[in-house]
Amino acid sequence: MDLVIAVTALVMAAPAMVVVALLIRMTAGGPAVFSHSRVGFSGKSFDCYKFRSMVADAEEVLKAHLEANPEAAREWEETHKIRNDPRVTFLGHMLRKSSLDELPQLFNIIRGDMSCVGPRPIVRDELQRYGDHVGEYLRTRPGLTGLWQVTGRSSTDYASRVALDSHYVRNWSIWLDIVILFRTVFAVMRVDRAA
């Protein structure tokens, strides 16, 4: 099912992906696709692909921003995300709001690194936040979409995100995946809940 959905979506999205890649190259220069190491099935690391939505020196910009803004530092600590992220370019902001930045993850699904539906792919440092639920995260492939993405996305705190990921793994069924896939369409349309 993952392969059929991913290949079909990739064929349908190919024209949009070419346009997005060209826009990134024209407005920000450098590579259009960014890869970052994430934790996958059984703890195996993989390169997770996304369209580049941040400035080139994103790590330095984030560090300076968190040092200068204690409230943003608290938000980062709680959710591993920040509103009004200074690293995100104007085009990147639009890509995130529309979730177009995640289209390259279709290649991750085809490669077997990810599934269409599953927990959000996380970096290794985030594993500690899963506490007693880390085993549940590690026994499934991360998803392009998932229960967290269709239940609140960035408006939920990290503990709620872990609870949703854990609930998904414990209650997995093909029907739950189908429901999440359908709900994803509506979640993406609600751009206020994206990114």
Side-chain angles (χ1 to χ4, degrees):
M1 187 169 119
D2 278 339
L3 284 174
V4 170
I5 292 172
V7 170
T8 302
L10 189 58
V11 169
M12 292 173 63
M17 292 176 73
V18 170
V19 170
V20 168
L22 289 173
L23 286 172
I24 293 170
R25 293 298 299 267
M26 289 189 303
T27 59
V33 176
F34 167 79
S35 69
H36 196 262
S37 181
R38 300 295 168 109
V39 180
F41 182 69
S42 294
K44 180 183 174 188
S45 294
F46 70 95
D47 289 329
C48 184
Y49 303 123
K50 280 188 155 191
F51 279 124
R52 190 163 57 89
S53 60
M54 294 186 181
V55 295
D57 56 345
E59 293 300 321
E60 292 80 14
V61 171
L62 175 64
K63 183 179 177 185
H65 182 71
L66 296 181
E67 287 173 356
N69 298 279
E71 188 174 320
R74 270 193 305 277
E75 184 181 5
W76 179 258
E77 180 63 30
E78 290 172 7
T79 65
H80 217 65
K81 287 179 172 281
I82 47 176
R83 287 182 293 265
N84 305 315
D85 193 328
R87 301 171 297 169
V88 181
T89 65
F90 177 74
L91 176 61
H93 182 71
M94 291 190 298
L95 293 174
R96 287 177 169 210
K97 285 292 184 185
S98 63
S99 296
L100 290 173
D101 64 317
E102 298 186 1
L103 285 175
Q105 290 174 18
L106 292 168
F107 290 107
N108 286 116
I109 296 169
I110 292 169
R111 287 175 40 150
D113 300 324
M114 293 176 64
S115 183
C116 290
V117 182
R120 190 81 178 128
I122 60 173
V123 297
R124 195 156 296 278
D125 289 348
E126 291 177 271
L127 282 175
Q128 64 185 357
R129 292 173 173 255
Y130 278 71
D132 294 339
H133 301 290
V134 70
E136 291 162 345
Y137 176 86
L138 295 175
R139 74 176 198 230
T140 188
R141 284 180 175 77
L144 177 61
T145 188
L147 194 55
W148 171 69
Q149 291 91 322
V150 300
T151 311
R153 301 186 77 166
S154 296
S155 63
T156 59
D157 61 20
Y158 208 100
S160 299
R161 174 176 160 177
V162 170
L164 288 167
D165 283 347
S166 177
H167 177 83
Y168 168 79
V169 174
R170 289 193 320 270
N171 296 282
W172 179 87
S173 72
I174 192 70
W175 300 114
L176 178 59
D177 277 3
I178 290 169
V179 168
I180 290 171
L181 285 168
F182 275 107
R183 287 180 63 188
T184 297
V185 175
F186 298 102
V188 168
M189 288 181 192
R190 291 200 58 192
V191 295
D192 61 306
R193 308 274 296 269

